[in-house]
Each structure stands twice: as structure tokens, then as C-alpha cells.
Amino acid sequence: MASSTLVVRASVSSALLKYNSFQTSSGGFSYWPSYSDYVDQWGTNYAGHFIIEARNKGYKIPIGLLENWTKYQTSKANEWYFDKNRSSYYQRSSQLQQAYRLYTLALSGKPALSAMNKMRNYSKLSNLCRWRLASAYLLIGRKDVAEDLIGGISRSVDEYNGSSLTYGSAIRDKAIILEVLTLLEEHDGCKEVMDIIANELASENYMSTQTT
């Protein structure tokens, strides 16, 4: 057990050090190392999520890594808007990117409250976006707002017909819903969604890196 723990800690620490080669001058993260001209929005959310969880577990975070990420995320969160002129494909991804961005900021202890409130007042948010945004409100102790966001909405998710700016899949989206239900301590709902995910993980079906 001790040996496996050391391996895990070494792997996490190594990943944190490698993140420096992915972080751009803006504070966001590229999809490929040393690719400074393009920030991948979902990748930036995901990398930040990993860094925050590692910090919370006591790992040493490279100097400036989290601080620069926080500045970038906060700026992007505050400038985001609902662009009704873009395609539904873009809208679906853009909404979820923003909701995840707001979740990661809340998780870091630096919630973008005005951006959160602005987003929850849009009338055309997707159900999945509502679930993800609800988790951000739960992290800052606003269970009332979270329950209002997801009250009466479906736990079903849409299938993906191709690539997505969030690298999504139906089972990945189910996991997002499971996390919210866990935060709400809705144990019956958790069991139902968890069984679906567990059965899929036990199957021989193909899963992307993001899904697993």
C-alpha cells in the first residue's frame, strides 16, 4: 500500500511540474505543451480543477501556476456572454465551458459571484449547464439557488453526435449530475445515476480520455 501511494504522489507531482509547459502567458492552458498561441477553454478548466484538488490534498503547486490560472479564469468568467447569433453546437459548448469555469473558481475559493448570478438569469441555459452551475452555488453555500436551478429538470442527457469543444459524452455528463447529487446528499438519486455509470464503465464500450 505504501509503495502504491508513493507512486501516485510521484505521478501527481510530476504532472503538476509539466503544467508549466502548457500554461500560456495569459494564464490559460494550451492543449499541447509550448503552444503559446491558443488557449483551450475546457482544458484550462480541467487543468485548474486538477491543480486545486492537488493543492487541497497537500501537494506543492509550482509558483504562479494557480495564481495566473485564477486571474485568467476570473477575466474569462466576467467577459462571457450568451451569443444568440452563434450555432446551437457552439452555444452548448460555450455554456458548459462557462459553467465549469465558474465551478472551478468556486472550488478554488475565488468565486466569480457576479458572473454566476448573470449566468443563472439566462432563460435558455441547457439542463446540463444548470447542473454544473448548481454545483458552483453549492460550493459557496447557496443550496437554495442550486435547488432553484435544477428544480424539476431532467437527469437525462443528450447524446453527442461528433466532436465537442468540451470533449463530452453522455456518460461524462451523467458524472457531472452525479457530483451535484452527491453534494446535495440525495442518496437515492446518486445510486440511480451511479449504477448507470458503473455499468457503462464495466462494459466493453469505447470511452475517451475525458469520459474515463
Side-chain angles (χ1 to χ4, degrees), residues 96-113 115-117 119-120 128-147 149-150 176 179-181 183-184:
L96 191 54
Q97 285 173 345
Q98 173 71 347
Y100 190 17
R101 184 181 294 121
L102 294 171
Y103 168 80
T104 57
L105 284 169
L107 188 66
S108 74
K110 303 287 185 180
L113 295 175
M116 289 168 64
N117 290 332
M119 188 173 206
R120 76 182 175 99
L128 185 64
C129 181
R130 289 179 174 276
W131 283 103
R132 182 79 285 180
L133 185 58
S135 63
Y137 276 102
L138 286 168
L139 290 178
I140 64 169
R142 292 301 307 272
K143 183 179 179 181
D144 57 327
V145 177
E147 290 178 333
L149 271 166
I150 61 176
I176 290 175
E179 182 177 14
V180 182
L181 293 172
L183 290 170
L184 286 168

Side-chain angles (χ1 to χ4, degrees), residues 119-168:
M119 188 173 206
R120 76 182 175 99
N121 286 323
Y122 282 113
S123 60
K124 295 184 179 180
L125 292 181
S126 68
N127 280 356
L128 185 64
C129 181
R130 289 179 174 276
W131 283 103
R132 182 79 285 180
L133 185 58
S135 63
Y137 276 102
L138 286 168
L139 290 178
I140 64 169
R142 292 301 307 272
K143 183 179 179 181
D144 57 327
V145 177
E147 290 178 333
D148 182 63
L149 271 166
I150 61 176
I153 68 172
S154 174
R155 293 176 187 170
S156 63
V157 296
D158 295 329
E159 294 291 340
Y160 287 75
N161 296 320
S163 62
S164 163
L165 296 175
T166 70
Y167 312 103

Side-chain angles (χ1 to χ4, degrees), residues 8 10 21 31 41 46 69 122 128 130 137 142 192 194:
V8 170
S21 65
Y31 193 80
Q41 299 304 319
Y46 194 69
W69 171 88
Y122 282 113
L128 185 64
R130 289 179 174 276
Y137 276 102
R142 292 301 307 272
E192 179 183 336
M194 185 176 66

Side-chain angles (χ1 to χ4, degrees), residues 33-85:
S34 303
Y35 193 72
S36 60
D37 296 331
Y38 176 74
V39 172
D40 185 281
Q41 299 304 319
W42 190 264
T44 296
N45 288 336
Y46 194 69
H49 192 172
F50 179 86
I51 294 166
I52 295 162
E53 295 287 6
R55 179 200 64 182
N56 293 345
K57 293 292 185 182
Y59 287 89
K60 183 178 179 180
I61 308 301
I63 295 174
L65 191 69
L66 185 56
E67 293 81 1
N68 292 331
W69 171 88
T70 302
K71 291 177 182 177
Y72 178 84
Q73 288 288 84
T74 301
S75 175
K76 292 298 290 186
N78 288 329
E79 72 182 31
W80 185 88
Y81 67 99
F82 187 88
D83 189 349
K84 63 182 179 181
N85 296 317

